[in-house]
């Protein structure tokens, strides 16, 4: 029979612990259908998420809560939908059915929202690091060259009428100031 074969294929994708905790399937009138769910070897497919249409059916037609559907293990959604299993009458779904808080998209979504608040935070920190590094390293290299009497190097060198060490000092100060301002004003 086509429906029994389909039920077996769906159950094959479930881990044994999840299969044993599933309630019996119910028909549209709410009566148990007495179709046993059995676990078999996995068919090699992995469900990564629950699509919007499936979420809508789970919430609107089968009585699951939105928060439960967001945390529901994706591999359990298809058997629940295929067998039209209404939400169990218990207060909460079994813990085996739900993803841990770290595994849900809400944690990732929260991090993305925090990053989108300040899209220039990391570019500004990068620019400040480059300015600070350029100024400090150029000043140190110039001082080392002068101390070892490197030919043609002096502390009074100028670039377009501005002392090179002054340019290096400005780069260091601007880099530190930009990093400090970015870090203080763009906190999560």
């Amino acid at each position: 029979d086509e429906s029994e074969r389909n039920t077996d294929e769906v159950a094959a994708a479930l881990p044994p612990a999840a299969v044993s905790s599933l309630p019996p399937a119910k028909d549209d009138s709410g009566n148990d259908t007495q179709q046993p769910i059995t676990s078999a070897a996995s068919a090699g497919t992995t469900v990564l998420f629950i699509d919007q249409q499936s979420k809508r059916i789970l919430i609107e037609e089968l009585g699951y809560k939105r928060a439960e559907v967001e945390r529901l293990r994706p591999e359990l959604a298809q058997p629940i939908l295929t067998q039209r299993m209404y939400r169990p009458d218990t207060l909460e779904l079994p813990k085996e059915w739900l993803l841990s808080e770290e595994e849900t998209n809400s944690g990732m979504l929260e991090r993305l929202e925090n990053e989108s608040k300040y899209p220039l935070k990391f570019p500004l920190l990068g620019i400040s690091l480059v300015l600070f590094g350029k100024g400090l390293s150029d000043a140190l290299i110039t001082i080392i060259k002068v101390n070892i009497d490197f030919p043609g190097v002096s502390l009074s060198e100028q670039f377009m009428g501005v002392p090179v060490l002054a340019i290096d000092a400005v780069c260091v100060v601007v880099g530190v100031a930009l990093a400090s301002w970015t870090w203080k004003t763009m906190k999560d």
Side-chain angles (χ1 to χ4, degrees):
D1 177 80
E2 181 70 26
S3 65
E4 286 179 17
R5 191 180 64 175
N6 197 12
T7 301
D8 291 340
E9 289 173 4
V10 170
L14 290 174
V19 171
S20 63
S21 67
L22 288 173
K26 296 184 180 184
D27 59 18
D28 290 334
S29 63
N31 299 323
D32 289 351
T33 62
Q34 301 302 321
Q35 292 179 348
I37 300 173
T38 58
S39 178
S42 177
T45 59
T46 302
V47 180
L48 299 176
F49 64 94
I50 304 171
D51 64 15
Q52 291 300 319
Q53 180 66 17
S54 298
K55 286 180 181 181
R56 185 195 64 76
I57 293 170
L58 286 165
I59 294 167
E60 294 175 7
E61 297 178 19
L62 299 177
Y64 290 83
K65 297 175 186 170
R66 185 172 305 280
E68 294 171 342
V69 172
E70 292 299 324
R71 289 193 54 208
L72 184 67
R73 291 194 171 281
E75 67 269 14
L76 294 178
Q78 191 59 45
I80 290 171
L81 290 168
T82 302
Q83 296 187 13
R84 308 281 304 166
M85 288 187 275
Y86 289 88
R87 185 185 184 284
D89 295 332
T90 59
L91 291 177
E92 293 183 10
L93 290 180
K95 291 188 187 310
E96 299 84 33
W97 287 27
L98 304 175
L99 296 170
S100 66
E101 197 64 40
E102 297 82 35
E103 294 176 303
T104 62
N105 291 338
S106 61
M108 183 182 300
L109 185 60
E110 187 177 311
R111 286 192 302 273
L112 287 173
E113 286 173 352
N114 285 340
E115 286 179 16
S116 70
K117 287 181 193 174
Y118 306 111
L120 295 177
K121 180 178 183 176
F122 293 109
L124 287 174
L125 287 173
I127 290 168
S128 65
L129 180 66
V130 169
L131 282 171
F132 175 78
K134 183 253 184 266
L136 185 64
S137 64
D138 283 358
L140 286 175
I141 289 171
T142 302
I143 291 170
I144 290 171
K145 284 182 177 180
V146 167
N147 283 336
I148 62 169
D149 293 327
F150 199 81
V153 178
S154 74
L155 292 177
S156 60
E157 260 186 72
Q158 293 190 352
F159 177 74
M160 297 179 67
V162 180
V164 173
L165 284 178
I167 295 172
D168 295 339
V170 167
C171 286
V172 169
V173 170
V174 169
V176 168
L178 182 61
S180 176
W181 176 83
T182 303
W183 193 258
K184 287 178 185 175
T185 59
M186 297 187 185
K187 288 199 179 236
D188 292 336

